[in-house]
Amino acid sequence: MRSVEEHQRVVADLITARRATATGLAEALGLVLADDVAAPLSLPVFDNSAMDGYAVRADDIASAASDNAVKLPVAEDIPAGRTDIPTLQPGTAHRIMTGAPMPAGATAVVPVENTDAGTETVAIYAPAPEGRHIRRAGEDVTAGTTVLRAGQLVTPAVVGLAAALGLAELTVLPRQRVLVISTGSELVSPGTPLRPGQIYESNAAMLAAAVRDAGARVVATPTAGDDVAQFAAVLDRYAAEADLIITSGGVSAGAYEVVKDAFGRAGDQGVEFVKVAMQPGMPQGVGRVAGTPIVTLPGNPVSALVSFEVFIRPALRTAMGLPAADRPRRSAVLTETLTSPSGKRQFRRGVLDAAAGTVTSYGPPASHHLRWLASANCLLDIPAEVTEIPAGSQVEVWDLSAP
Ligand code: AMP
Ligand code: MG
């Protein structure tokens, strides 16, 4: 049997970064910059007012006081967005709004609160030193400065800065495009009535959600019955659009194992099927189909999602350059005694009480108990050689509540 660590390496080696691509700001959110970004212009772009008020020459209002108003004629009105920038004549004021360009010759802004708010003439009740309430061009960013670094995550603030600099696109490592195929003749789409022996297809919806949650993109979520021709038709239809294909089902030891049957013949298409020393998720497959990486997961829903967590999620995030490729790991005190099979690394679903530092297993170890996984917040990671962990001992957990 192959160890979990080795299979993790094989999957990680298979999934490689896409070429860096100039990407619109909305789509770039959550991805990682491929290049440094130098500011194409300065911020602020021009000297502008930090207040609603009056642009003046500081000298003209030096004697202003609450009982000794300086009265000036209001020669211009400068709202934000005015593009013909006037010149202030000595002995006059311009009414000016926050963000509006400073008129040439003005050396300070008097906030409207320190005036009578006049529109023909204005009475000013307080002096303002030179430079007061003026936001200077370039005081935030000087043109040419490197403001963002390669490897940095595109956050809402990064999007804001890029837009402020007039950049409509950022060059990022694109999302991996993932095709999620479910296999099984018993599967029916939710929304259709079930006949005896049929069940609702849930892996595709679940794995697609996990793909998106990992920061990647879903190409499609087709289902194929346990029929090699049908499965091959689905691959032909979608595989070319994908950077990675994930299948679920059809890889264990029974008959009608469609994924194994499709690729298993002498490894003709370069997919190898292995047993990984883990529970759940022992039967795994990995390889390439017409050059596209493929990872074949077992069909039991818990096995499928735990396998995704262990093998695919970290590899996808690494290929996208995303921070925290692995879920945060921590140690917690086990509240009960657990047993685990010898020779298999076991991932039990658990509830972590982060404040108390304790963890309790949640639900049975069997791999069809999806209900428990839905309300667990961690995986207990029990080493392969351990067969019993007494209550009160420390166990390692993967925190699924964190990205
Ligand atoms: P398999 O790996 O194909 O033998 O499937 C193992 C178990 O998982 C069987 O009980 C299947 O019915 C179930 N299963 C497989 N694929 C899905 C799926 N896409 N949605 C829900 N259950 C599935
Ligand atoms: Mg099946």
Side-chain angles (χ1 to χ4, degrees):
M1 268 198 276
R2 177 182 279 183
S3 72
V4 169
E5 296 75 9
E6 190 186 344
H7 197 63
Q8 281 176 319
R9 269 196 301 278
V10 172
V11 173
D13 286 348
L14 196 69
I15 302 176
T16 50
R18 294 177 61 193
R19 193 159 37 82
T21 307
T23 304
L25 297 183
E27 171 66 13
L29 180 70
L31 298 175
V32 163
L33 294 174
D35 298 326
D36 292 354
V37 176
L41 46 73
S42 294
L43 294 178
V45 183
F46 48 84
D47 288 0
N48 68 88
S49 177
M51 298 292 266
D52 296 330
Y54 295 83
V56 297
R57 283 163 33 125
D59 290 350
D60 288 345
I61 61 159
S63 63
S66 54
D67 56 356
N68 181 30
V70 170
K71 292 200 170 115
L72 298 175
V74 179
E76 294 279 350
D77 200 28
I78 316 177
R82 183 166 169 181
T83 54
D84 60 319
I85 299 164
T87 298
L88 182 87
Q89 301 304 327
T92 70
H94 291 177
R95 195 164 77 129
I96 192 166
M97 299 303 143
T98 304
M102 287 297 292
T107 60
V109 171
V110 181
V112 66
E113 293 81 356
N114 293 350
T115 73
D116 67 352
T119 53
E120 300 297 320
T121 60
V122 61
I124 294 171
Y125 300 114
E130 262 191 32
R132 177 59 60 89
H133 301 312
I134 299 173
R135 303 193 290 212
R136 294 289 178 198
E139 71 180 22
D140 185 7
V141 174
T142 313
T145 309
T146 298
V147 285
L148 297 168
R149 293 280 176 196
Q152 199 172 336
L153 186 67
V154 178
T155 60
V158 168
V159 168
L161 176 60
L165 291 169
L167 301 172
E169 296 182 326
L170 289 167
T171 301
V172 294
L173 291 180
R175 289 177 207 287
Q176 294 276 315
R177 295 162 299 188
V178 184
L179 171 62
V180 180
I181 306 176
S182 286
T183 68
S185 296
E186 72 280 28
L187 305 175
V188 171
S189 293
T192 320
L194 288 180
R195 302 219 311 269
Q198 296 183 323
I199 61 167
Y200 285 123
E201 195 296 302
S202 58
N203 286 351
M206 175 180 71
L207 291 170
V211 165
R212 288 191 196 96
D213 188 56
R217 172 187 297 158
V218 176
V219 171
T221 55
T223 299
D226 292 316
D227 175 90
V228 171
Q230 233 186 71
F231 179 67
V234 166
L235 280 178
D236 287 348
R237 163 89 172 73
Y238 295 105
E241 299 163 44
D243 304 304
L244 172 67
I245 302 163
I246 302 175
T247 66
S248 70
V251 293
S252 41
Y256 310 105
E257 303 288 7
V258 64
V259 177
K260 249 185 175 169
D261 293 347
F263 303 122
R265 286 184 275 270
D268 50 352
Q269 303 227 36
V271 181
E272 56 166 349
F273 294 92
V274 293
K275 287 186 173 161
V276 176
M278 70 188 275
Q279 189 195 56
M282 184 179 68
Q284 299 285 340
V286 61
R288 287 179 187 276
V289 179
T292 304
I294 183 168
V295 177
T296 70
L297 304 178
N300 270 309
V302 176
S303 310
L305 191 58
V306 169
S307 304
F308 182 92
E309 273 295 328
V310 173
F311 302 116
I312 299 177
R313 189 179 194 278
L316 279 176
R317 290 182 68 84
T318 300
M320 293 185 286
L322 294 174
D326 290 325
R327 299 279 192 181
R329 312 275 164 92
R330 57 169 293 174
S331 171
V333 176
L334 189 62
T335 60
E336 70 211 307
T337 296
L338 287 181
T339 58
S340 177
S342 164
K344 283 187 184 170
R345 185 160 160 192
Q346 194 187 38
F347 293 95
R348 293 282 285 259
R349 280 63 67 199
V351 176
L352 172 70
D353 181 338
T358 58
V359 65
T360 306
S361 80
Y362 194 59
S367 51
H368 59 286
H369 292 280
L370 191 54
R371 166 192 157 191
W372 304 90
L373 185 57
S375 299
N377 64 3
C378 70
L379 293 175
L380 284 79
D381 182 355
I382 302 170
E385 66 283 1
V386 172
T387 52
E388 187 184 299
I389 322 180
S393 32
Q394 295 278 339
V395 289
E396 176 154 279
V397 303
W398 296 18
D399 187 351
L400 302 180
S401 65

